[in-house]
Amino acid sequence: MEELYRTIEDTIKNSGCPFPANGEEIYNEICDEIENREPGAYVFFSKKTDDTFFEYRLQIFEDNFNLSSIDIHIADKNYHVDFD
């Protein structure tokens, strides 16, 4: 799992986003959000600070999920992080 967390963190960092991302926290937040949801495509938002929120795009399957992208909105700037 550590490798997965690091991949999330590195991909966000490589996008130029200055927000200090925590891969484990992001993964756990997604897992909490998708619990008991039907398979399908979803978008959900997570407010991090007063001026920062994450917009997650993912596909939920029967036994797993695919995080397609995260758009990180910080004040008046947006960072697109593609995982596909």
Side-chain angles (χ1 to χ4, degrees):
M1 291 302 288
E2 292 299 321
E3 184 177 332
L4 175 63
Y5 302 151
R6 231 180 353 269
T7 299
I8 292 170
E9 292 167 2
D10 291 345
T11 305
I12 290 172
K13 182 178 179 181
N14 291 338
S15 76
C17 178
F19 192 83
N22 180 311
E24 183 175 8
E25 181 181 301
I26 290 170
Y27 181 84
N28 289 335
E29 181 176 43
I30 290 169
C31 288
D32 289 346
E33 184 67 30
I34 67 173
E35 189 173 338
N36 299 321
R37 298 223 185 222
E38 295 291 323
Y42 290 86
V43 175
F44 73 90
F45 299 88
S46 176
K47 186 175 181 178
K48 302 296 183 182
T49 67
D50 285 341
D51 66 348
T52 302
F53 69 93
F54 285 19
E55 181 180 344
Y56 298 98
R57 286 183 180 75
L58 53 108
Q59 179 76 32
I60 299 173
F61 305 104
E62 283 295 323
D63 296 329
N64 59 25
F65 69 91
N66 177 53
L67 175 61
S68 299
S69 66
I70 301 173
D71 287 333
I72 301 172
H73 304 269
I74 303 173
D76 61 346
K77 293 187 180 189
N78 297 319
Y79 301 88
H80 180 76
V81 184
D82 193 8
F83 290 95
D84 282 337

